[in-house]
Amino acid sequence: MAKLELRGLSKSFGANPVCRGIDLDVEAGQMVCLIGASGSGKSTLLRCLNLLEPIDDGVIRLDGQDIAEPGLDPLPVRRRIGIVFQSYNLFPHMTAVRNVMLAPHRVKGLSFDALQSPVTALFDRFGLADRMLHYPDQLSGGQQQRVAIIRALAMEPEIMLFDEITSALDPELVGEVLDVLRALRQEGMTMILATHEMGFARELADKVCFLDMGKILEEGPPDQVLGNPSHERTRAFLARVL
């Protein structure tokens, strides 16, 4: 049984269908990269997996349980499935460490004292131990994005979703954020990424899925999808971005 199973996931905004019957299996410890043009449904798919958007049809199974049933409390699911966006969404009036501590303090009821040691360890692990007491406007874009990732990890999720987390960064800052993902990959975190970083996807992904008009047109190992795609639309997209 896959860690995460999607069957027939569909989502529309008004008369505009954005996800059209998506099927996908994600095994524990896998990194799955979603590629495709803007508007292909990648971001909406991730938001559906985190239950930020209710789906119109289909099934999302986490460890065999359908988490998309109408009326289900989304909060326990969001504790297990973390998400990081391209915009950092850090509170400007809080230090980096307080930004990270806020969710586990409020959601899990942990005291700030109890959080000090594990959160400090996270900052240290990702090279930001000397930035814990800095405010967001005192950090570079890459550092703010790493704080946003640390904030998600502080909830101890089982799955991490990343939505184009490098697209708002200057090119020289992209590498430091991708290094965080490499570290998580080595530690066995289950991850689903919407990304335009094709070299990174080729290097580390277990599976690449090409989305077009709300459907997965092609999926498979990166060497196959990126190196020898079978679908004409995949080839046309890669010709534009590679």
Side-chain angles (χ1 to χ4, degrees):
M1 181 176 64
K3 179 72 176 174
L4 193 66
E5 298 174 277
L6 315 184
R7 295 293 181 267
L9 187 152
S10 298
K11 173 67 181 178
S12 296
F13 294 104
N16 179 32
V18 182
C19 295
R20 305 170 183 243
I22 291 177
D23 295 337
L24 178 65
D25 287 345
V26 181
E27 304 292 339
Q30 274 193 330
M31 174 185 279
V32 175
C33 287
L34 309 177
I35 65 170
S38 296
S40 59
K42 305 184 302 296
S43 295
T44 297
L45 174 57
L46 293 179
R47 292 175 64 86
C48 287
L49 296 182
N50 187 250
L51 305 187
L52 290 172
E53 295 286 353
I55 66 174
D56 298 328
D57 198 11
V59 174
I60 305 172
R61 294 191 188 96
L62 176 60
D63 290 331
Q65 178 193 2
D66 184 2
I67 60 172
E69 292 181 1
L72 201 69
D73 182 2
L75 291 181
V77 173
R78 292 178 191 150
R79 293 176 197 170
R80 300 176 65 187
I81 304 179
I83 189 167
V84 180
F85 302 98
Q86 58 179 288
S87 55
Y88 324 124
N89 296 322
L90 300 177
F91 292 109
H93 64 289
M94 293 184 181
T95 61
V97 67
R98 189 51 63 103
N99 264 282
V100 170
M101 287 182 170
L102 187 62
H105 171 67
R106 287 189 172 177
V107 176
K108 292 188 171 183
L110 300 172
S111 70
F112 290 119
D113 286 344
L115 288 165
Q116 189 67 42
S117 178
V119 167
T120 299
L122 282 172
F123 275 90
D124 186 53
R125 190 165 120 203
F126 297 115
L128 288 174
D130 60 341
R131 296 290 189 270
M132 289 175 58
L133 298 180
H134 286 55
Y135 288 88
D137 65 359
Q138 298 172 312
L139 303 173
S140 71
Q143 289 169 340
Q144 290 186 63
Q145 191 58 285
R146 280 188 281 164
V147 172
I149 295 172
I150 291 170
R151 177 178 58 187
L153 293 174
M155 292 296 291
E156 300 181 314
E158 300 166 33
I159 298 173
M160 282 296 301
L161 312 175
F162 298 99
D163 186 13
E164 302 283 9
I165 61 170
T166 60
S167 64
L169 299 177
D170 293 332
E172 64 267 24
L173 300 177
V174 169
E176 64 187 51
V177 174
L178 294 182
D179 283 343
V180 173
L181 300 185
R182 286 188 180 92
L184 293 175
R185 175 78 172 82
Q186 292 172 352
E187 294 166 11
M189 173 65 74
T190 307
M191 292 182 279
I192 308 174
L193 291 71
T195 184
H196 284 105
E197 301 291 338
M198 299 301 156
F200 179 80
R202 186 188 293 270
E203 173 194 352
L204 284 179
D206 295 289
K207 181 189 296 186
V208 174
C209 300
F210 171 65
L211 276 75
D212 184 68
M213 298 183 67
K215 295 182 178 181
I216 296 179
L217 287 192
E218 190 162 354
E219 69 174 274
D223 285 347
Q224 173 198 320
V225 176
L226 301 178
N228 188 28
S230 61
H231 202 288
E232 175 56 36
R233 288 201 182 181
T234 314
R235 291 195 290 270
F237 169 75
L238 293 173
R240 294 197 304 269
V241 301
L242 292 179

